[in-house]
Amino acid sequence: MFEFIAIVAAALLLFMFRDDKKYRTVYSGSESNLSEANEYYWLLKHKKIPIKYQIPYNWKNFYQFGYKESPVYIKVSEDYVEKARKVMMYHRIEKMKMQRNIELERNK
């Protein structure tokens, strides 16, 4: 009987202390795109948007020979999803403009 009460109490504690905020993925990539993910992480962090940066371990690496890339996720609180997407979109646009200007300068 004590074991049952302990299990129920543990489940209730986990339920009470769960993360109430829901997060949605705004960026997903792989470890080969880590520099881009870091760029977006610091951009969103600078804009004070609550984020979670996750690189879950690929368990195939544990029991297989060789290395498999792990995925990379940037998740944002549901309240800030639109703001985060706009910030990332405007950043991409500015980045493309800079690349285009660099290429135009080279071709002169």
Side-chain angles (χ1 to χ4, degrees):
M1 184 68 180
F2 178 72
E3 294 87 10
F4 177 73
I5 293 173
I7 291 172
V8 170
L12 285 174
L13 283 173
L14 288 173
F15 183 75
M16 286 177 21
F17 292 114
R18 75 182 191 282
D19 193 9
D20 289 335
K21 295 180 183 177
K22 301 294 181 196
Y23 285 84
R24 292 187 34 205
T25 304
V26 292
Y27 175 83
S28 62
S30 63
E31 282 181 308
S32 60
N33 300 358
L34 205 54
S35 61
E36 182 183 29
N38 287 335
E39 191 175 319
Y40 289 136
Y41 169 81
W42 288 109
L43 177 70
L44 295 173
K45 188 145 182 98
H46 177 71
K47 298 289 183 177
K48 295 183 176 37
I49 296 174
I51 59 176
K52 285 186 178 181
Y53 186 84
Q54 297 177 335
I55 304 178
Y57 182 72
N58 190 343
W59 286 100
K60 291 180 182 176
N61 293 335
F62 184 71
Y63 60 86
Q64 287 182 346
F65 182 73
Y67 180 76
K68 307 274 186 206
E69 283 191 348
S70 296
V72 176
Y73 301 112
I74 296 178
K75 297 182 178 189
V76 176
S77 176
E78 281 189 347
D79 302 334
Y80 293 90
V81 170
E82 284 300 315
K83 183 178 179 182
R85 287 187 177 154
K86 284 182 182 178
V87 166
M88 292 170 66
M89 179 184 68
Y90 292 137
H91 177 72
R92 279 188 220 121
I93 290 170
E94 287 297 318
K95 197 173 177 181
M96 285 188 293
K97 285 180 184 177
M98 287 189 300
Q99 288 290 335
R100 186 176 56 222
N101 289 339
I102 289 170
E103 289 176 10
L104 287 174
E105 286 295 318
R106 284 183 187 163
N107 293 333
K108 281 188 176 181

